[in-house]
Amino acid sequence: YRLVRELLEKEYESRTEKRKKQRIHRANFSELKYLEELDVKELPKDAQVALNELETLKFIREGRNVVLYGNPGTGKTHIAIALAIKACEQDMTVMFTTVPRLLTQIRECRSQKKLKQLERNFEKFDLVICDEFGYVSCDKEGGELLFNHLSLRAGKKSTIITTNLAFNRWNEIIKDKILVAAMVDRLTHKALIINMTGDSYRLKETKKIMTNLQNKKQ
């Protein structure tokens, strides 16, 4: 009896591990980043304070959004992906995309008359990461398409937005002020908004490498 139980437990563990790997693979992350790899002391203060709450993944279960905003290189994408991988490990479904890629996908599906299918799939994920909001500007039509698509999840499912722009600068990439106001209102309702402005972690790493090289030469 014990041998059978052990075999069943191993089979269950094997299947569970396989499911985790499949969910991580299907999420289509740009790279794999983990919470354990974060140097918390180097993160901006807001992120240090919010991290414990974010790690519980309660925001996903409550269908609340997270907006990580601030200058490049401060850990926004790392935090987003690390939380999403933890969600995959807890049997949640995740999608990772960049805003430019999402817009291209929406436009292509619309022209192929497959938009409804895309929308249905988009609504189902427990968590969606929309990375790089603000890196590429979009016209009024693009802004409307993005707003309509993101609104499908509003108040029901969780979305993480990473952006290099504070809200008062979103009209730099979407020229319609009314649309920008509606988008900010929809995305930030009951959201966790985390200021990621700080010294670039990547820049600090580069400086460390350069310093080490100089020290070796001396």
Side-chain angles (χ1 to χ4, degrees), residues 37-157:
E37 296 170 345
L38 277 171
D39 189 345
V40 179
K41 298 189 299 296
E42 295 290 339
L43 291 173
K45 286 285 184 284
D46 267 25
Q48 290 182 33
V49 172
L51 200 57
N52 282 341
E53 185 182 349
L54 291 172
E55 283 183 32
T56 66
L57 305 184
K58 189 180 173 186
F59 70 95
I60 301 176
R61 289 185 281 273
E62 292 176 347
R64 295 173 68 190
N65 292 343
V66 175
V67 180
L68 299 158
Y69 74 94
N71 54 297
T74 55
K76 299 184 295 296
T77 302
H78 189 143
I79 289 173
I81 290 175
L83 291 170
I85 286 176
K86 187 172 182 179
C88 288
E89 290 170 347
Q90 293 191 15
D91 221 13
M92 297 179 192
T93 55
V94 173
M95 171 190 172
F96 175 92
T97 188
T98 64
V99 171
R101 191 199 307 158
L102 180 61
L103 259 177
T104 300
Q105 195 177 16
I106 294 166
R107 285 188 165 119
E108 285 175 355
C109 286
R110 189 182 61 167
S111 68
Q112 294 165 10
K113 295 186 169 45
K114 293 179 181 177
L115 189 55
K116 282 292 173 198
Q117 183 60 50
L118 181 72
E119 288 175 346
R120 278 196 293 270
N121 292 340
F122 191 71
E123 280 182 282
K124 287 177 185 174
F125 290 102
D126 295 310
L127 175 65
V128 167
I129 297 173
C130 289
D131 198 29
E132 297 180 1
F133 184 90
Y135 282 78
V136 179
S137 61
C138 57
D139 56 17
K140 188 172 185 285
E141 184 201 52
E144 286 171 355
L145 287 172
L146 188 61
F147 172 74
N148 292 336
H149 206 67
L150 292 174
S151 294
L152 295 168
R153 301 176 56 80
K156 296 178 286 187
K157 296 281 189 173

Side-chain angles (χ1 to χ4, degrees), residues 154-166:
K156 296 178 286 187
K157 296 281 189 173
S158 180
T159 304
I160 298 179
I161 305 280
T162 74
T163 176
N164 58 332
L165 298 176

Side-chain angles (χ1 to χ4, degrees), residues 22-29 88 94-97 101:
Q22 284 174 340
R23 281 192 296 274
I24 290 169
H25 177 70
R26 285 176 191 150
N28 201 26
F29 296 115
C88 288
V94 173
M95 171 190 172
F96 175 92
T97 188
R101 191 199 307 158

